Amino acid sequence: MNSLLKGRDVRLGKLITILYRSLLLKKNNALKTYGTSYNKAFIEGTEEKFYAFTKEYLNPINITWGELKRMAKDALACFSGSDQIWNSSTLYVDPLYYLRFAPKHKRIALSPSFGRDFIADYNKDKMRDWISDYPYLSVREDSGVKLIKELTGREALHLLDPTLIINADEWRDILGTVVKCRKKFLTFLMN
């Protein structure tokens, strides 16, 4: 079953958890934010461009959790790392973002971001357990290093956001892009 609707992750278990925590923790603003985000209209033509780009360059496939586990078993390593992938105040701690499908010895945290300098009490136990399962830990913020130390007692490397490791010209060479300036915005066009 496709769990994306209008570009939003709508897995039933996730939605139930968010609803339950919203009511329990009286965080109704989270539901309002989610609803507001879901109801926003796309700028004309944006949706088609989004789906065309996704199909041409990303070519996603739908797989089951079991299939994902089998793929991870065959992989050399599995990486998690992105901006706010470990958002510490989210109402739903997503097992995908903590590589719960992958064998423990293959999990590598490559500069994930917490996006906060605290971990909400309602997420501490799960995040402690799931982060502790990583044999290799790095984060992109100083505050993340401190959070991991407080949470797990372990040291994490402080690494730069991976996108900033090389300069713009090197990225253009790798991506084969042409950069054009339009008004105040940069537009990247694929060759």
Side-chain angles (χ1 to χ4, degrees), residues 5-22:
L5 185 61
K6 282 184 69 178
R8 274 59 168 203
D9 182 357
V10 292
R11 286 175 281 158
L12 184 59
K14 176 180 180 176
L15 295 178
I16 290 170
T17 301
I18 290 171
L19 178 62
Y20 173 75
R21 283 189 163 181
S22 294

Side-chain angles (χ1 to χ4, degrees), residues 30-49:
L31 288 178
K32 287 177 188 171
T33 300
Y34 190 83
T36 302
S37 169
Y38 181 78
N39 290 323
K40 283 186 179 177
F42 286 105
I43 296 170
E44 189 176 333
T46 302
E47 190 171 8
E48 292 81 17
K49 288 180 181 180

